[in-house]
Amino acid sequence: MPEQESPLKRFGRFFLRCLPLLGMAGALLWLWLSGDDLSVDTVLSYTPELPLLAALFLLLLYALKSLSLTLPILLLDTVCGVLFPLPVAILVATLGTAVTLTIPYFIGRGAGPDMTEKLQQKHPRLRELREMRSRNELFLAFLIRIVGILPCDVVSLYLGNTRMPFPKYLLGGVLGFLPDVLTATVVGMKADDRSSPWFWGAIALNLLVAGGSTLFYALYRKRQSRSAEDLSSEKP
């Protein structure tokens, strides 16, 4: 006879399921009360002037982004580029990316086992990840982030719920987002000088990486499909 969950554990699972909705509601309420449009200037207007406090405030916004679709992560990366020298901007944006990846992962990990099936029903392409998972988890975590085939938070919830090892998940995810981090921080740094070769070079490099990674993913999936067909044909 299966052991019944305690009321506290059931409440914990319910709270984890509601947390993304609460985060989105909080972000929308903030925007409504402020009366501002969501933009780099809006975020800058609320950011403390002291660099350490500014970094902590931005990390808080990255955490809020992980619970809400309202805050685009590239906007926050761009703010980092406006506020800090490039090495510091990249560091803060990378830490923010790690925060954004971590929170939904552990929400998924703490949620019930039925979350995987519900996510797959809503996002059928998640089934592709299940097929690719057994080969190289670190590479998979990197590939799905750099290609961006699915919403960031959906992937995080799914990989947390299916118990991908956290170090591989986080390292692969951060590396996959690194081209976007570099592009957005450079664009933020050179926002007042759009004739700068840094500005257009960063955008061109990001487009090249995006196009190359998409092509690689398509060829990779085609190769995996062929391998699966070959294995099927070899079976008696």
Side-chain angles (χ1 to χ4, degrees), residues 98-109:
V99 170
T100 300
L101 292 173
T102 297
I103 294 175
Y105 171 89
F106 281 105
I107 290 176
R109 189 157 185 143

Side-chain angles (χ1 to χ4, degrees), residues 17-35:
R17 290 178 184 275
C18 292
L19 201 53
L21 292 176
L22 293 174
M24 186 176 294
L28 292 173
L29 180 63
W30 172 50
L31 290 173
W32 180 72
L33 291 176
S34 68

Side-chain angles (χ1 to χ4, degrees), residues 77-141:
D77 294 342
T78 304
V79 171
C80 290
V82 173
L83 288 175
F84 306 109
L86 187 58
V88 179
I90 292 172
L91 175 62
V92 174
T94 301
L95 290 174
T97 300
V99 170
T100 300
L101 292 173
T102 297
I103 294 175
Y105 171 89
F106 281 105
I107 290 176
R109 189 157 185 143
D114 60 325
M115 174 177 277
T116 293
E117 186 58 34
K118 290 180 179 178
L119 288 173
Q120 288 179 342
Q121 289 176 358
K122 191 172 182 181
H123 303 276
R125 296 197 71 176
L126 284 171
R127 300 185 190 279
E128 296 180 17
L129 305 188
R130 184 180 60 186
E131 297 170 7
M132 299 163 59
R133 177 82 173 266
S134 60
R135 291 176 172 84
N136 190 322
E137 291 183 322
L138 177 61
F139 176 70
L140 172 63

Side-chain angles (χ1 to χ4, degrees), residues 205-216:
L205 180 61
N206 188 262
L207 291 174
L208 183 63
V209 170
S213 59
T214 302
L215 177 61
F216 175 82

